Amino acid sequence: MKTTFLTFILISITTLLTAQELPEIPMKNGMAYYKFEHKLDNTTNCLSSYFQIPDKKVSLMTKIVNGNRLFNNKISKDKIGFNVFAVSSKINLKCIDTVTTVSGFSFGTAGGDILWKPIIIEFFSKRVIKSVVKANVIIVFTSKTEFNLIIKDITYTLDYVKGGKSGMDYYNIGELYEQTKASGKITKSDIKFFENLNFFVKSADEINLKALTETYQVDEL
């Protein structure tokens, strides 16, 4: 009896120590939703002007592109490509206004290196050739010196070949997260995917923040 009880205790402890938990993903209305709030020290121009005035915008976009390139060099060993957003043009952008992006941001793999194969998705007889996470990005300027960067509408797409025909599966990240969390079968691959999601979303914000900060600092010399 004692042996059985001790065995039960050991199994329980082992289960607790090896339990897999997904990283926390911010959610809003059942969807993944990230919001980063920033306040800078610019004194001359509204931060929004750097997304509109031609010469300032060129300088900002150049820094964003360079930041994206340097970031990709750092992660090249992981065979994951990352594309930070381009910003759309808008006439008469005010200090308190909103900027939308042309393509948002994305990260993904090609050539059969798949980001994630969750158990809850059926892969039978499909040869996945590309996997990509995409998101929309908006920048909301709340004052001359403050803005929020919001990343939402996050999706996961899988391009595949089945029976000689091409196809694409499209998933909402928020739904996948909730389904995976509720499945009770969390794997290391699941954890790694959502860790990557947090990492790349945060990196997109950091690239934009660094580029904007450097742009206004040079402008105010």
Side-chain angles (χ1 to χ4, degrees), residues 16 18-27 32 34 116-120 172-198:
L16 287 172
T18 58
Q20 306 282 352
E21 289 190 10
L22 292 178
E24 194 67 30
I25 301 295
M27 303 286 288
Y34 294 81
W116 184 39
K117 282 187 174 182
I119 295 175
I120 59 175
N172 177 287
I173 282 293
E175 291 178 2
L176 277 182
Y177 179 73
E178 295 290 7
Q179 290 171 9
T180 303
K181 195 172 183 179
S183 70
K185 299 178 180 179
I186 311 299
T187 67
K188 290 182 179 180
S189 177
D190 298 335
I191 294 171
K192 181 63 176 176
F193 176 80
F194 288 107
E195 286 177 343
N196 276 337
L197 176 62
N198 282 337

Side-chain angles (χ1 to χ4, degrees), residues 32-50:
Y33 183 93
Y34 294 81
K35 181 179 179 181
F36 301 91
E37 299 179 354
H38 299 291
K39 179 177 176 59
L40 303 185
D41 298 321
N42 52 299
T43 58
T44 305
N45 297 300
C46 294
L47 289 174
S48 58
S49 68
Y50 295 97

